[in-house]
Amino acid sequence: MKNIYIKTWGCQMNEYDSSMIARNLEKTGKYFITTKSEQADILVLNTCSIREKAQEKVFHQLGRWKKLKDTNPNIIIAVGGCVATQEGEEIFKRSRYVDIIFGTQSLHKLPKMINEVEKNKKFVIDISFPQLDKFNYSLPIKNKGYTASISIMEGCNKYCSFCVVPYTRGKEISRPSDDILFEISNLAENGIREINLLGQNVNAYEGSTFNGKICFFSELLRLISEIDGIERIRFTTSNPLEFSDDIIEVYKDTPKLVSFLHLPVQSGSNKILQLMKRSYTTEEYEKIIEKLVKARPNIQISSDFIVGFPGESKEDFKQTINFIKKINFDMSYSFIYSSRPGTPASEMKDEISLQEKKERLYTLQNCINKQTMSWSRRMLGSKQCILVEGQSKKYPMKLYGKTENNRIVNFDGESNMIGKFVKVKINEVHTHILNGILL
């Protein structure tokens, strides 16, 4: 058997793809997944192109792997993911020691591509978009914990001016609902208690059913909630444009759907949202939140923000801060704008200094952190249902689990509680971590 090392960058979708790569290689019986690159016969880099200088990061990593290949010329180096799809043969032209380039939709072909390289000693590339073929080769997830993420759709049709996803993942394609339900049922039978549904635009899901009809996202959520063993449902990432009333209704009658939602807004300025081609206003976003709070009064919202987008004035940024306070977001992922080659925003004039962008990011994150702490303080003395996931990393003699709103809770308990839901009273709070007493 040959050792394979897989290095993954990027989002949960990339993590899911890497797990598919590992399972498809292991099922051949020829490969063993190793955690040490120095022991590998085959090196796989699963890339992400969301952030600035993503390509340079790839070549820096490949440069480090070249040293391993110089020592052992038989090592095979494969590059996949979004940068591979975007750059294609340019990667090979710059790094001639790379053997394989595969795309986000052709990762299931990797075992065959490896065989081809071993047989012919020639460079192989496949960055085609054969839609959902890769899921036909998917195997049951071997999950060590009690939570699992599964992809229910791929791609995006929105073409926001700053985003490369439509170019690297393709157009929106939804997996058949029966395939998803079958996969989740298998996970539940193997001890999974919490499921996280993945998609670049997950709430736009429209999967086919066995009888040729369309299953919409709201219906899929309800069907998953009926699977024995699955007690908690999450999903990411959503787009406000598709956050329709039928999805909001699910929060009224489906308690397994957590009272926590990540709904990216990107900016609190309508002018900037228009430049981003987000196709909604802050007022429309606020209406969605109002409906959600009415359906689920205890719901907490997290979001994404891009700081320093071309054209963002001090007044635009001030509007974003005011909007953050008005919605009272619990958490956020916030970044300085990164120009991505080939996107419309990359042609826009950027007159904001890096120092100004850094100051705005600090101000925004400081505002969010205060609100996060405020939300955590509200939990002091509350009774929380948590999924016990294992021994605490910070306190080895304690157990830890997560609340619905993604807070880690450390508490004293017995090992037979791992994998189960327990009630804990919160007696100490920090920003993201809580301590509690078992009830």
Side-chain angles (χ1 to χ4, degrees), residues 31 59 71 119-120 129 140 148 165 238 315 354 372 385 396 413:
Y31 306 107
F59 290 114
T71 305
K119 184 179 178 181
N120 301 320
F129 281 86
V165 166
S238 303
E315 177 58 30
L354 180 59
T372 303
C385 180

Side-chain angles (χ1 to χ4, degrees), residues 84 167 223 353 407:
Y167 310 102
L223 290 171
S353 70
R407 295 320 195 259

